[in-house]
């Protein structure tokens, strides 16, 4: 079968399954979520072995980040799905519509394509899949071919989930391209921005909505007043987990020159404490995914600026946790996202210069700020933009179940995790229901138009902008009128 036929067949089957309406049943969705959980439990050893083979990912990181995390996400969805699928009333409807039903009613977008990246190859497809299932979509899952063992292990998903609604399609760029030519109702892509643009162009052909979870250079700004031993530990965890191949890893550090020497000492100590003096022997330290990325990261290291690490072994695709100092904004390491275990430190005059450097680049996925000074934090937050802003730690915001995660501008569009994933795969349909009664009121709007009717309607329907707003008295009047209208309806006067 050609890649085109494979893509068409999978999408055709998913489309037919969606049109059958079976995913509209919330009990069916719950059953699929539980089946996905069974997959994670039954296949966990295979998945962990695949992660180790692909990335030398240790059990702690593999189980925590790629098996237990999606399982926890499933639990959140199972606990909340009944409330999430329930239509939600619109806010204040105004006096004129007090008797009407005005709600946002979630309906599944339809057939979705989920394209994953290789660095967290399991969870980056499963966490969106969980929300797509909760929302009632049918899904084609396309794991990254770069993490080939994990992709192969994910194929077993098809044995657990409904075989018409959910399909895992493995292969290279040719199959992703063929899939992108099909009509989907939503495309959820995780990966680099170059391919992100290809995905968005392909989706535009069908006017399909997209979520783009991209990367970028996430800065880490350190104030002068911090306990650098704690800061170093927290940066180490965010930067060197998965050997730096994490989209939300701090990409580079900005601090004043006076902070740099002590920070380097603290980072050296933190690295030795966690991975010993020879991280290559540490079972907890990962490897670079492949030769292409090894060569890419190697080129970013300037030996003259290395203060910690710098050792490499190309046969093992090993690069030691590396810290470089006095890096300049136009150095190679600052050109693109590092996506490897290399931490450049740039020194700045003050926080204004740090803000200037951040704002001269694409909007990052995350900005990390370390400080106990509220005004430092507030100014940095106010004058910059990023998908997430995290204070005094790194990456753990990702674990908060209902905190939406996603980028802005160059780091992506759309959010997911918890309710946000459900929302991403749902169309929040507006539904308004009126009765056929009350014509004595409705006739005011029918032609022939009169100035008197217009004046009444304008008064009832429209608001005039006022400095300070209307909220207090307006809400009270609306409440009283709504209560009156409900009474009228209940007593059946009209
Ligand atoms: P990758 O090479 O695995 O590519 C991602 C997907 O794109 C794959 O499934 C692949 O099949 C597809 N693809 C590749 N080339 C294509 C082409 N020419 N046409 C169509 N599809 C194609 O991953 P990557 O791009 O190396 O991923 C790393 C990037 O992903 C980094 O920038 C990282 O920051 C980002 N990332 C972001 C997140 C997030 O949640 N925001 C998470 C992980 C990674």
């Amino acid at each position: 079968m050609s890649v085109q036929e494979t893509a068409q067949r999978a999408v055709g089957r998913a489309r037919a399954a969606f049109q059958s309406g079976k995913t509209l049943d919330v009990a069916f969705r719950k059953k699929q979520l539980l089946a996905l959980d069974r997959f994670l439990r039954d296949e966990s050893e295979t998945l962990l072995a695949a992660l180790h083979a692909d990335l030398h990912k240790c059990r702690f990181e593999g189980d925590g980040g790629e098996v237990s995390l999606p399982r926890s996400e499933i639990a959140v969805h199972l606990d909340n799905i009944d409330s999430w699928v329930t239509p939600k009333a619109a806010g204040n409807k105004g006096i004129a519509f007090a008797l009407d039903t005005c709600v946002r009613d979630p309906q599944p977008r339809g057939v979705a394509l989920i394209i994953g990246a290789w660095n967290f190859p399991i969870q980056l497809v499963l966490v969106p899949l969980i929300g797509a299932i909760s929302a009632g979509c049918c899904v084609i899952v396309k794991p990254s071919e770069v993490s080939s063992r994990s992709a192969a292990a994910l194929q077993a998903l098809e044995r657990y989930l409904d075989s018409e609604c959910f399909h895992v399609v493995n292969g290279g760029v040719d199959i992703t391209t063929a899939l992108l030519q099909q009509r989907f109702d939503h495309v959820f892509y995780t990966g680099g921005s170059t391919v992100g643009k290809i995905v968005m162009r392909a989706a535009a052909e069908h006017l399909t909505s997209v979520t783009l979870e991209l990367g970028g250079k996430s800065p880490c700004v350190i104030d002068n007043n911090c306990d650098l031993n704690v800061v170093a530990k927290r940066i180490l965890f965010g930067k060197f987990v998965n050997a730096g191949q994490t989209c939300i890893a701090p990409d580079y550090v900005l601090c004043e020159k006076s902070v740099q020497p002590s920070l380097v000492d603290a980072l050296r100590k933190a690295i030795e404490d966690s991975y010993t003096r020879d991280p290559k022997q540490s079972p907890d330290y990962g490897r670079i995914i492949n030769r292409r990325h090894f060569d890419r990261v190697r080129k970013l290291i300037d030996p003259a600026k290395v203060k910690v690490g710098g050792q490499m072994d190309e046969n093992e695709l090993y690069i030691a946790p590396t810290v470089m100092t006095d890096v300049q904004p136009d150095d190679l390491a600052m050109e693109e996202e590092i996506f490897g275990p290399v931490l450049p430190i740039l020194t700045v005059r003050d926080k204004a210069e740090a803000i200037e450097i951040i704002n001269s680049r694409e909007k990052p996925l995350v900005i990390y700020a370390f400080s106990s000074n509220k005004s430092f934090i507030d100014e940095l937050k106010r004058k910059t933009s990023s998908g997430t802003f995290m204070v005094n730690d790194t990456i753990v915001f990702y674990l908060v179940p209902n905190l939406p995660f996603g980028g802005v501008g160059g780091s992506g569009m759309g959010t997911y995790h918890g309710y946000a994933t459900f929302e991403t795969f749902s169309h929040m349909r507006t539904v308004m229901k009126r009765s056929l009664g009350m014509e004595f009121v409705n006739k005011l709007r029918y032609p022939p138009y009169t100035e008197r009717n217009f004046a009444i309607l304008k008064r009832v329907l429209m608001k005039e902008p006022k400095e300070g707003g209307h909220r207090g008295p307006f809400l009270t009047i609306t409440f009283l009128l709504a209560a009156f209208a409900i009474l009228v309806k209940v007593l059946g006067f009209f």
Side-chain angles (χ1 to χ4, degrees), residues 115-119 124 142-146 172-173 176-177 180 189-192 195 198 213-216 247 292-293 337 339 365 405 416:
I115 304 175
W118 51 263
N119 58 328
L124 289 178
K142 166 63 185 73
S144 172
E145 67 278 15
V146 178
V173 172
T176 319
T177 307
L180 285 169
Y189 166 80
T190 303
V195 177
I198 295 175
E213 295 288 341
L214 310 178
C247 57
R292 182 168 73 82
H293 281 281
E337 180 183 1
F339 220 53
L365 194 52
F405 168 68
Y416 74 130

Side-chain angles (χ1 to χ4, degrees), residues 341-359:
V342 180
L343 183 68
I345 303 178
L346 282 74
T347 61
V348 288
R349 274 187 320 278
D350 49 22
K351 76 173 162 303
E353 192 185 1
I355 290 170
E356 212 177 289
I357 291 176
I358 295 170
N359 288 344

Side-chain angles (χ1 to χ4, degrees), residues 214-234:
L214 310 178
K217 291 183 85 63
S218 297
C220 180
V221 187
I222 303 173
D223 197 0
N224 302 339
N225 57 12
C226 299
D227 177 341
L228 292 177
N229 287 318
V230 176
V231 173
K233 278 279 184 200
R234 294 185 181 187

Side-chain angles (χ1 to χ4, degrees), residues 168-242:
V168 178
V169 178
N170 270 313
V173 172
D174 53 350
I175 188 76
T176 319
T177 307
L179 282 168
L180 285 169
Q181 284 162 359
Q182 311 300 310
R183 173 184 291 277
F184 285 96
D185 302 301
H186 191 72
V187 177
F188 188 106
Y189 166 80
T190 303
S193 55
T194 309
V195 177
K197 288 177 193 168
I198 295 175
V199 169
M200 201 166 168
R201 264 185 229 117
E205 277 306 308
H206 301 287
L207 292 178
T208 294
S209 53
V210 291
T211 301
L212 299 179
E213 295 288 341
L214 310 178
K217 291 183 85 63
S218 297
C220 180
V221 187
I222 303 173
D223 197 0
N224 302 339
N225 57 12
C226 299
D227 177 341
L228 292 177
N229 287 318
V230 176
V231 173
K233 278 279 184 200
R234 294 185 181 187
I235 292 181
L236 165 127
F237 181 67
K239 180 69 189 185
F240 299 117
V241 73
N242 205 29

Side-chain angles (χ1 to χ4, degrees), residues 65-128:
E66 310 244 30
V67 178
S68 295
L69 187 126
R71 291 198 61 211
S72 169
E73 184 78 6
I74 290 171
V76 170
H77 283 249
L78 284 171
D79 285 350
N80 291 288
I81 187 168
D82 289 319
S83 121
W84 291 347
V85 297
T86 308
K88 304 283 178 305
N92 178 14
K93 292 181 276 185
I95 303 162
F97 305 111
L99 288 182
D100 302 329
T101 303
C102 298
V103 293
R104 304 193 76 210
D105 187 1
Q107 60 173 175
R109 281 193 182 274
V111 179
L113 171 64
I114 296 174
I115 304 175
W118 51 263
N119 58 328
F120 284 83
I122 312 287
Q123 68 115 322
L124 289 178
V125 292
L126 293 193
V127 174

